[in-house]
Structures are given as C-alpha cells and as structure tokens.
Amino acid sequence: MQNRPARSARVTITDVGAAAGVSPATVSRVLNGTARVEESLALRVQQAVAELGYRPNAAAQGLARGQWETIGVLVPDLANPYFPDVLKAVSAVARSNGRRMLVMESDEDPTVEHELVEDLMRCCDGVLLCSPRMPRAELAELAARDHPMVLFNRVEPGLSVPSISVDFHGGMTAICGHLAQLGHRRAIYLAGPEASWANSERIRAFSSARAFGLEVTVVPCGATSQAGYDAVALAEGSRLGDRGAVFDDGVTAVMTYNDLVAFGALMRLRELGVDVPGEISVTGFDDISLDRVAHSNLTTVSVPRDELGRQAGEMLEQLLTKGYDAEPRYLPMELRVRDTTGRGPVP
Amino acid sequence: MQNRPARSARVTITDVGAAAGVSPATVSRVLNGTARVEESLALRVQQAVAELGYRPNAAAQGLARGQWETIGVLVPDLANPYFPDVLKAVSAVARSNGRRMLVMESDEDPTVEHELVEDLMRCCDGVLLCSPRMPRAELAELAARDHPMVLFNRVEPGLSVPSISVDFHGGMTAICGHLAQLGHRRAIYLAGPEASWANSERIRAFSSARAFGLEVTVVPCGATSQAGYDAVALAEGSRLGDRGAVFDDGVTAVMTYNDLVAFGALMRLRELGVDVPGEISVTGFDDISLDRVAHSNLTTVSVPRDELGRQAGEMLEQLLTKGYDAEPRYLPMELRVRDTTGRGPVP
DNA sequence: CTGTTAGCGCCTTCAT
DNA sequence: ATGAAGGCGCTAACAG
C-alpha cells in the first residue's frame, strides 16, 4: 500500500554509478550510447540499472538536453470524429522519431486556446496547432514566439508558419460541379462556424459555381448533427406552409459544412418524408468513416486524414531538426459520389 | 524567418531579475506567490516579465519541484468512439487541477503498451491506464513500480491499484433479461477480444441467463463494425443453405460486444433481407452516440462516458494529493430499449 | 576510454 | 522582506 503524496525516493544515475562502481557520466554514456565504454563496465552498469530499477528522470533529461522529446497537439474538439485518425498518424510519426504526443483540447474556446498553446510551447519541442477560429493577429503573436509550430487545417499566407491543410475550396468546387452536372440550379449551404477558415474556404467555391449555373444560398447552421437537423426543421417551419416544399422555390440540393451536419439534415428530411435524392440531393463534407455504419451512403468529399496527420507530423519533425519549411501544403480532396445525390430539375 | 534547429536563447528567471533589479529568488516568489514581496518590486518584476516575454521552463520547474503538472492517459485506440468523451472529461478535471493531459495510444499492441506506460510514468505525475488486455502479471509489475496509477475500465482485485470501471456484467445481464422477457430462448453473442476483461465480464452474465431460460452461444468475432459484418456473413455462408435461416436452429437474437459490431451485423442482416427485429433481434453495447446519426435505433446499454472520465480523473488526483483510495468503483449501465429488439418465439 | 567539473533553469532553505 | 547558495538529475565539455 503506497502512501506518499508526491514521489518516492527515486534512484538516480549516481546511485547506479555507485552500485556499478563507475562514475555517473559513464552510466549516462552506456544508457545513451553517447560514447564507447568497455564491455565489462557497460555490463555492470546494465546490471545495476536492472537491479535498482533505475528510470531516467525525464525532467532532468529535458533540462540538460534542452529538449522534451515531446510534441504537442492542440485540437478544438476531441469528440469530432475527424481528429482521432489524424492524431493516430501524428502519434505514430512522433513515436518513430522518439517523441511522445501531448494532446490538448480547446473546447472550441478561443480564449483558452491561446493559453493552451503557450503552455504547450513550454513543455514541448514543437506544437501542432489546429485552431480554425483564432484571430489572425493572435496567431501572428504566437508565431512571433519563434517556437517550432505547424499550423494544421488552416493556412495563413504571409505568416512564416509552416502549414498544412486540405484543399477545402477544391473539395467544395468538386461538389458544386457534381451537382451542376446533375442539373441542379439552386442549392443552399448549411454553413459551419462563421469565423472558421475552413468554412470560408468552402464558401469561396460558390462564386465560381455561379458561373456554372449553380446558385448557392448560405444559411447559418453549425458543425453538428443536431445543427443540421435543426436547420432543416427551421426551414420547414418557415416554408412548409407555402406550397409543401421544404425549402425556397427551386432549391433542389443541400450542401453542408460537414458529414455530421448532413446526417442531421438527412434524418430530419427522412422524418418529413422528403425523398432523397428524388426531391432533394444532400452532400456532406469530410467523409468521416462513420458513414459505413450509418448506412446513409452520403455523397461527400473525403479528406485523407491519416495522410494529413502523417505529413503534419513530418513537417513538424523537419522543422525541429532541419529548420523552416517554407511552402504551405495542401492535400487534395476526393469526390465520393454515393446515394444522396441525384438528378436536378434541368436534365 | 526562424532558422534555429533546437531552441533559441531563452530568457531565464535570472534575466528577469537583472532587468528588474532584483534577485532571481524574488522573481520566483512573485511568480509563484510563494511569499510576500513589496508592491513596488513585484510590479517591476511583472513589467520585466512582460517586456522580456519570459516563460518559465517547464523542465526546470519539474526538476526542481519534482512534479510535472501532467497526467498521462493510455488508451488502446483513439479511433474508438468510446474514448473521446472520456478523454474530454479527464482533460477537464486535469485542467481544473492545474495539470495537462498527455495521451498515448497503444494501438492494441500489448508489447508496446508496457513500454508506453513506463514512459508515461517517467514524465507524468500520475497515469490513467486503460489496458484491457495486459496480462495480470505485467500489470502487477507495473503496480509495484509504486507510481501513482489508476486502472480504467478494468478491475483487478487484490492488486492495490485503484480502479474504476463500468459494470459490464450488470449491463449484459440487463440485456439478457430484456431478451428473455421478450420470449427469446436462444441467442448468439458476437464476442470481443478474447483476452479482454471487458469481454469476459460480459460473458460471465450468460451463466445466470441460462437460469432464466436464455441459452447463449459465444461466437468469436471482434470489436469493429467490419468484424460484426463478417461474422454474420460467415454464419450465413455456413447456414443459409439449411432452411433459409441465417443462424442455427432457434437462434432469434444476436448480442454483440459493442455497438460497432452491432452496426456491422445490422448492415449485413439488412443486406440479407432479414427483418430486424421481426426475425432477429440485435443488441449493442456501450451506446455510442453515433447512433443518433446512424438512425439504427439500436437497443443497447449505455455507459456514462463523461462520468467515467470525470471520476477517473478525480481518483487519480486524489491519489496524487491524498494517497491511496482503496475501493474500486463500478459505474452502472443503463438499458436503452430501442428498435432492434422485438418479441421472441415464446410469447 | 573514463572520471571530474560545470552547468541546464528553477525552487527553497538559510542567513541577512 | 530580500539575497545568496545549494541542489533537483542528467548531460557534455574537458582532462587525464
């Protein structure tokens, strides 16, 4: 039964040295392979280590080496099914480089976000920052800290912070193109968080869509399944009276900020007895694999989550070891046409 | 443009002291509120801190204080939708106690698991260990390390490690009772990982189920949606020829290791045109909220994930500050009867 | 090849 | 109330 609040009497490198009859420096050398030491001594050291159950103290190592062997990742919401895959990949890369991964969650709260990043910087060699909503100025200030950092899922041009992201604009363009080709002429977009870069990138695609004959109306919504459900319920409340149509005149497609929103919208549409894709086409965004499980067979665009995590991790590692990597990276999205989109009114 | 591989010339507490015209000790005191210092000095210190952009070095603090202000969590699989909610809660508790949360993933690999726990112990004040499959002996060895640790989702009686878990046995008993009352007499159980404690706890419920007239056959399966799908496909392959029934004679219910498996099974059953719950009843386990999105309305038992994370975090904190907390905690599960279970053959 | 020495940055007695 | 000094455990020059 243990009963020591803080910590027990730890065995140090000096103890090991004493037990093995060598200096602490030699112990350090055999442990880290820093220099050749005679077989016999090395053996004695290893025995002593085993017998005493010695474990190097990470803080002391960190202090002496000026490194923590740790990278930090800040994500807005751990429960977002988008992140686990990314984190898995980041963690794998980190591990293969001999580093741990420290994860923090900002709960989408921009005020704590800043504080958390600072804390991460204090205890990690490098930081992977996924902060869609942080004001650019604040980001700039953080960047000025001159601490290794990689921006993730967000690109801020002249900010001298390496960044990696997904080509959201291209993804949404693909969706618009798909709908336009199916003959859709009017669509609504259930928008994500307003301040989010990811959201504005998607919206940016709509101007070119107009050129191809697809008119998009942006409707504030959110990022959750519930938000999608509610948005449709709302539209229904205000429109259904008109002439039985759920949406405004001529709207035959609903695009969404992400798959979750799409699922929620689909659920509500299904409850309303709306035929998808007969009357209304619905598209998602992200292709969270949940779809396999939901049987909804949502048409969407997929983001290569593990590739994203892998490359992000590698960029950070490169930053840590080789220095600054200038060019921002964009990963392409792929259109996944499935069962929730069909022909529009103009064949 | 930065270009320094490791780290820049950090500003230390001594620099601050020099700038403020006080000793480093005084700086430390105002920063930590360890002792009273004169207003004017404190003010000068704070100014210097701000101007120089001083940030305390976490490693040095850790070394000096013998604490890291960090807790470590090891989970088998980040992508398991079960964990994010738990982690959120743990993280919140940790933060409210002034600690960070370090997350690691073992990838269900028992060999790295051990290594990761050891690493966590080296750099965290305490460890939250979710390791369903680790052999008891190994666990005992880790426990003997005498490092603050709380077992999570697993209970090992005489191991002098505080543990918190969900009453899986009670949950499965509730499911069996539900099915039995509906008149089911024969069921199969699509089992999870063999070595897993969580799995054996579920299976333990079947012996009492027999007393209530429900005969359960355990079928090896797995923990994923895919595994559930495949298990049904397999059963179909070997049985369908007989007399059109998917399963063995008289089997009218399928219980599963978790919701994911159930989703997979449901998907396959749906493809086969089997009526659920008309012909076959299906039950899940865990109640991952994904269900809202999947429209499957799965009958299942729910685990209070955030409560679990919250209490686990608090147990660890208590262990860290007050010492050993003896009694293992079990959180109850709640039966959620939804649409995938119906009357059995014996009304 | 090995031991000695001097920090890494901070905290904390101990004097003052 | 403040400063000086030693130490946390480890690493990395520097001698030998």
Side-chain angles (χ1 to χ4, degrees), chain A residues 223-290:
Chain A
T224 63
S225 177
Q226 188 65 46
Y229 185 97
D230 293 345
V232 173
L234 208 70
E236 172 229 339
S238 61
R239 301 289 166 206
L240 207 54
D242 292 19
R243 7 182 298 299
V246 174
F247 300 108
D248 253 340
D249 285 347
V251 168
T252 56
V254 176
M255 300 185 287
T256 60
Y257 175 68
N258 67 21
D259 287 352
L260 252 30
V261 172
F263 286 131
L266 277 175
M267 179 155 36
R268 183 61 187 149
L269 287 172
R270 179 176 308 196
E271 286 177 11
L272 291 174
V274 174
D275 180 25
V276 174
E279 292 176 62
I280 299 280
S281 287
V282 175
T283 64
F285 210 97
D286 286 350
D287 195 25
I288 56 181
S289 51
L290 205 129

Side-chain angles (χ1 to χ4, degrees), chain B residues 100-162:
Chain B
R100 334 174 168 82
M101 178 185 73
L102 184 63
V103 178
M104 287 196 187
E105 175 193 49
S106 64
D107 253 327
E108 315 261 5
D109 182 339
T111 61
V112 309
E113 212 155 47
H114 191 269
E115 171 191 348
L116 292 183
V117 175
E118 287 197 319
D119 189 39
L120 281 178
M121 285 179 165
R122 297 197 319 109
C123 65
C124 298
D125 300 324
V127 174
L128 216 53
L129 175 57
C130 179
S131 174
R133 252 155 284 187
M134 183 180 288
R136 190 178 200 285
E138 217 170 310
L139 213 53
E141 193 225 328
L142 251 20
R145 287 272 200 296
D146 198 34
H147 184 103
M149 176 167 89
V150 166
L151 232 49
F152 170 84
N153 249 12
R154 166 167 179 171
V155 177
E156 282 294 336
L159 217 57
S160 90
V161 179

Side-chain angles (χ1 to χ4, degrees), chain B residues 280-327:
Chain B
I280 299 280
S281 288
V282 175
T283 64
F285 210 98
D286 286 350
D287 194 25
I288 55 182
S289 51
L290 204 127
D291 188 70
R292 278 205 314 256
V293 128
H295 315 303
S296 56
N297 266 327
L298 184 66
T299 292
T300 188
V301 281
S302 84
V303 10
R305 283 186 290 285
D306 33 48
E307 185 59 19
L308 187 57
R310 211 177 53 70
Q311 291 205 26
E314 280 168 1
M315 281 178 83
L316 186 54
E317 182 63 25
Q318 184 176 332
L319 185 59
L320 253 28
T321 55
K322 301 201 186 78
Y324 185 38
D325 170 354
E327 75 276 22

Side-chain angles (χ1 to χ4, degrees), chain B residues 58-327:
Chain B
Q61 286 186 152
L63 184 54
R65 300 209 260 241
Q67 286 216 158
W68 288 266
E69 322 293 329
T70 299
I71 65 165
V73 185
L74 181 63
V75 297
D77 176 19
L78 272 175
N80 184 331
Y82 182 92
F83 289 112
D85 288 335
V86 176
L87 290 178
K88 274 173 101 90
V90 173
S91 167
V93 173
R95 260 183 68 68
S96 81
N97 292 313
R99 302 187 205 271
R100 334 174 168 82
M101 178 185 73
L102 184 63
V103 178
M104 287 196 187
E105 175 193 49
S106 64
D107 253 327
E108 315 261 5
D109 182 339
T111 61
V112 309
E113 212 155 47
H114 191 269
E115 171 191 348
L116 292 183
V117 175
E118 287 197 319
D119 189 39
L120 281 178
M121 285 179 165
R122 297 197 319 109
C123 65
C124 298
D125 300 324
V127 174
L128 216 53
L129 175 57
C130 179
S131 174
R133 252 155 284 187
M134 183 180 288
R136 190 178 200 285
E138 217 170 310
L139 213 53
E141 193 225 328
L142 251 20
R145 287 272 200 296
D146 198 34
H147 184 103
M149 176 167 89
V150 166
L151 232 49
F152 170 84
N153 249 12
R154 166 167 179 171
V155 177
E156 282 294 336
L159 217 57
S160 90
V161 179
S163 60
I164 180 167
S165 179
V166 175
D167 183 7
F168 297 134
H169 176 263
M172 191 52 97
T173 300
I175 288 182
C176 290
H178 170 61
L179 290 176
Q181 287 186 28
L182 284 172
H184 293 275
R185 289 296 170 260
R186 294 201 54 201
I188 65 171
Y189 169 62
L190 300 184
E194 279 192 50
S196 129
W197 177 80
N199 186 49
S200 46
E201 279 294 290
R202 290 157 168 73
I203 290 180
R204 214 156 55 73
F206 300 147
S207 55
S208 45
R210 181 171 302 129
F212 291 95
L214 183 68
E215 190 82 26
V216 182
T217 307
V218 176
V219 177
C221 175
T224 63
S225 175
Q226 188 65 47
Y229 185 98
D230 292 345
V232 173
L234 209 71
E236 172 230 341
S238 60
R239 303 288 166 205
L240 207 53
D242 293 17
R243 7 184 295 298
V246 174
F247 300 108
D248 253 342
D249 284 348
V251 168
T252 56
V254 177
M255 299 184 286
T256 60
Y257 175 69
N258 66 22
D259 288 352
L260 254 29
V261 172
F263 286 131
L266 277 175
M267 177 154 40
R268 183 59 187 149
L269 287 171
R270 178 177 308 197
E271 285 177 12
L272 290 174
V274 174
D275 179 24
V276 175
E279 292 177 64
I280 299 280
S281 288
V282 175
T283 64
F285 210 98
D286 286 350
D287 194 25
I288 55 182
S289 51
L290 204 127
D291 188 70
R292 278 205 314 256
V293 128
H295 315 303
S296 56
N297 266 327
L298 184 66
T299 292
T300 188
V301 281
S302 84
V303 10
R305 283 186 290 285
D306 33 48
E307 185 59 19
L308 187 57
R310 211 177 53 70
Q311 291 205 26
E314 280 168 1
M315 281 178 83
L316 186 54
E317 182 63 25
Q318 184 176 332
L319 185 59
L320 253 28
T321 55
K322 301 201 186 78
Y324 185 38
D325 170 354
E327 75 276 22

Side-chain angles (χ1 to χ4, degrees), chain B residues 5-79:
Chain B
R7 54 168 176 167
S8 55
R10 293 199 46 75
V11 22
T12 80
I13 205 173
T14 312
D15 302 330
V16 176
V22 300
S23 78
T26 300
V27 177
S28 171
R29 285 194 264 260
V30 339
L31 257 37
N32 301 303
T34 310
R36 296 210 71 73
V37 312
E38 214 182 319
E39 280 283 333
S40 63
L41 287 195
L43 227 67
R44 268 155 53 197
V45 168
Q46 283 161 347
Q47 274 186 3
V49 165
E51 280 173 14
L52 300 181
Y54 166 79
R55 318 273 155 198
N57 177 310
Q61 286 186 152
L63 184 54
R65 300 209 260 241
Q67 286 216 158
W68 288 266
E69 322 293 329
T70 299
I71 65 165
V73 185
L74 181 63
V75 297
D77 176 19
L78 272 175

